[in-house]
């Protein structure tokens, strides 16, 4: 289908100023413009339906290089998107097809067909392409299986356990035969970890004002840690490290407590390298993109669990394109359960 000579009214969130702390209205600019719908060969126009907000966006807003160069100013905020084809000059895509794209925070995007992945809506809710069957699922799966190397009987402690990655790590860990203790903020999330995710223990880190008191409760519930899957860093991690056991594996997936300014002004914790030596522990950073080529391997195992609802893949939806910057902040306020998405 071609829509030659027509235009679509596009809405785009431009990233215009680097935040020092929280993201607010001054860091983004909502603009409208006409999108020319004339298509060259293999071009496709996608209408966003679900737009992702992810903690990594705050990492990329820092001025210095991290695992990537900083997100440039003055362009549309990058993100994953699940959308529907509205016009296509590619034989591979037809109108109404569901696709995964890297279109960013905009309503419409004119893409090359090679930059789109077809989503089968029969397999699972299409939004899961941004969650359990997408980047967060891949991170959880390979982070735990490759770096965490779980064995039956291991005690796995997961921070950020009620979030997109953490809730999956916790459940993958249970399926691998681990005893799983989740750490999350607030009583409601802890009750979710026990009653819905069926974890063996849950610790509300917000209920503790000192690392020592938090460590004491973690030790009481865990009895020592074989695998620590870290999503948050900071005080929570300071409390877990002294609890690691012989040949423990520490997986550094994220340090969200440090993203609001902390990458520039590191919040230094205790020096624990002696303890790592005594316990012959390993510490490994992991990055989702390093496992992108192994996506099919992850899907072969996890997709049937999703299809049969054998695992919980919670999603929190925020409605409205104009809510995107605020939705990003919600991750830092812990307002999400599972994967946070903006429905547009
Ligand atoms: N390495 C990779 O390739 C990769 C890929 C994806 C994600 N990640 C990382 O994994 C982590 C989780 O990402 P996600 O997408 O699954 O997000 P998420 O866990 O769904 O959402 C973020 C959660 O972080 C918690 N949080 C926020 N501020 C905190 C603080 N100061 N201290 C402790 N917890 C805090 C909140 O939960 P509470 O209510 O429990 O505080 C919030 O719900 C992030 O650090 C992210 O950068 C890494």
């Amino acid at each position: 289908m071609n829509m030659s000579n027509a235009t679509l009214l596009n809405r785009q969130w431009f990233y215009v100023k680097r935040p020092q702390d929280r993201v607010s209205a001054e860091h983004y600019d909502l603009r409208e413009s006409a999108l020319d719908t004339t298509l060259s060969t293999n071009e496709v126009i996608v209408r966003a339906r679900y737009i992702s907000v992810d903690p990594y966006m705050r990492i990329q807003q820092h001025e210095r290089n991290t695992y990537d160069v900083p997100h440039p100013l003055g362009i549309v905020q990058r993100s994953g998107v699940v959308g529907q084809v509205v016009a296509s000059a590619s034989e591979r895509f037809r109108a109404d097809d569901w696709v995964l794209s890297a279109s960013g925070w905009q309503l419409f995007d004119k893409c090359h067909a090679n930059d789109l992945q077809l989503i089968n809506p029969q397999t699972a809710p299409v939004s899961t392409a941004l969650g359990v069957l997408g980047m967060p699922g891949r991170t959880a799966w390979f982070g735990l299986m490759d770096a965490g190397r779980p064995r039956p009987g291991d005690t796995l402690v997961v921070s950020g356990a009620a979030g997109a990655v953490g809730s999956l790590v916790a459940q993958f860990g249970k399926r691998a035969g681990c005893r799983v203790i989740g750490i999350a903020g607030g009583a409601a999330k802890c009750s979710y970890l026990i009653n819905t995710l069926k974890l063996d223990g849950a610790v509300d880190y917000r209920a503790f004002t000192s690392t020592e008191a938090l460590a004491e409760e973690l030790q009481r519930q865990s009895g020592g840690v074989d695998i620590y899957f870290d999503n948050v860093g900071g005080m929570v991690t300071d409390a877990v490290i002294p609890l690691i056991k012989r040949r423990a594996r520490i997986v550094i997936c994220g340090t969200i407590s440090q993203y609001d300014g902390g990458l520039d002004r590191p919040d230094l914790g205790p020096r624990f390298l002696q303890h790592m030596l005594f316990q012959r522990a390993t510490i490994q950073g992991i990055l989702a993109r390093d496992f992108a080529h192994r996506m099919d391997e992850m899907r072969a195992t996890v997709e049937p669990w999703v299809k049969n609802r054998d695992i919980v893949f919670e999603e929190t939806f925020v409605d409205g394109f104009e809510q995107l910057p605020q939705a990003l902040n919600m991750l830092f306020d812990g307002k999400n359960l599972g994967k946070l998405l903006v429905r547009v």
Side-chain angles (χ1 to χ4, degrees):
M1 186 176 81
N2 211 324
M3 300 172 73
S4 46
N5 302 325
T7 57
L8 288 166
L9 181 64
N10 205 3
R11 303 186 81 197
Q12 301 172 304
W13 275 110
F14 279 75
Y15 169 53
V16 294
K17 189 176 174 198
R18 296 198 190 288
Q20 296 305 315
D21 197 334
R22 280 299 161 95
V23 165
S24 65
E26 62 177 320
H27 305 112
Y28 285 97
D29 193 18
L30 180 54
R31 299 180 193 164
E32 293 189 349
S33 61
L35 177 73
D36 178 0
T37 59
T38 312
L39 297 179
S40 298
T41 309
N42 286 321
E43 277 191 325
V44 178
I45 296 179
V46 176
R47 195 318 186 164
R49 296 291 173 195
Y50 299 94
I51 300 184
S52 194
V53 286
D54 293 272
Y56 74 79
M57 291 171 177
R58 282 297 285 109
I59 297 182
Q60 296 189 350
Q61 287 170 335
H62 285 266
E63 247 173 276
R64 67 180 171 87
N65 291 346
T66 52
Y67 55 83
D68 211 337
V69 295
H71 191 303
L73 291 170
I75 65 168
V76 171
Q77 170 65 51
R78 292 173 178 152
S79 76
V81 167
V82 163
Q84 279 184 291
V85 170
V86 293
S88 172
S90 158
E91 287 181 356
R92 285 158 46 206
F93 297 99
R94 280 187 273 180
D96 296 334
D97 278 349
W98 286 96
V99 290
L100 175 69
S101 73
S103 294
W105 290 6
Q106 55 184 342
L107 266 190
F108 293 98
D109 189 22
K110 195 187 279 187
C111 323
H112 192 280
N114 287 354
D115 297 328
L116 299 175
Q117 284 176 45
L118 194 63
I119 300 170
N120 179 356
Q122 310 302 327
T123 309
V126 291
S127 51
T128 57
L130 293 167
V132 58
L133 296 179
M135 184 278 282
R138 182 169 80 235
T139 307
W141 181 255
F142 291 108
L144 181 65
M145 294 306 179
D146 265 43
R149 304 191 302 282
R151 294 167 305 201
D154 277 348
T155 297
L156 162 68
V157 169
V158 185
S159 62
V165 173
S167 61
L168 297 174
V169 170
Q171 294 177 88
F172 296 158
K174 284 297 294 177
R175 300 183 82 87
C178 298
R179 255 188 93 239
V180 183
I181 312 297
I183 306 174
K189 284 194 180 181
C190 285
S191 135
Y192 171 80
L193 296 182
I194 299 289
N195 298 317
T196 306
L197 301 191
K198 310 288 183 204
L199 304 193
D200 302 287
V203 177
D204 170 10
Y205 72 91
R206 289 206 197 130
F208 298 87
T209 47
S210 77
T211 310
E212 292 72 23
L214 176 57
E216 204 172 299
E217 177 58 14
L218 280 163
Q219 176 65 22
R220 195 186 67 75
Q221 291 206 31
S222 69
V225 179
D226 296 296
I227 308 171
Y228 174 43
F229 194 103
D230 189 16
N231 285 307
V232 307
M235 170 187 151
V236 171
T237 299
D238 293 345
V240 178
I241 300 286
L243 312 182
I244 57 166
K245 297 201 291 193
R246 192 67 48 92
R247 304 206 188 284
R249 284 81 71 201
I250 298 168
V251 183
I252 305 296
C253 172
T255 57
I256 193 169
S257 69
Q258 308 298 301
Y259 297 167
D260 279 338
L263 295 183
D264 299 324
R265 291 171 269 108
D267 172 20
L268 294 178
R271 293 188 185 166
F272 51 72
L273 293 181
Q274 275 185 352
H275 191 57
M276 297 288 295
L277 165 67
F278 301 154
Q279 298 304 331
R280 287 78 122 191
T282 53
I283 182 162
Q284 183 177 343
I286 55 118
L287 210 54
R289 60 177 65 179
D290 295 345
F291 299 99
H293 60 293
R294 292 173 65 187
M295 198 66 184
D296 293 344
E297 186 186 324
M298 176 281 246
R299 289 183 73 117
T301 308
V302 176
E303 205 170 271
W305 295 344
V306 170
K307 213 167 176 174
N308 300 327
R309 305 265 164 179
D310 289 335
I311 55 170
V312 177
F313 47 96
E314 197 79 38
E315 297 171 309
T316 299
F317 295 106
V318 172
D319 284 301
F321 185 78
E322 34 319 298
Q323 303 299 325
L324 275 158
Q326 257 323 105
L328 178 58
N329 271 336
M330 284 173 64
L331 294 167
F332 294 81
D333 294 327
K335 297 247 172 72
N336 61 308
L337 208 51
K339 176 65 192 145
L340 184 61
L341 292 168
V342 176
R343 204 160 29 191
V344 296

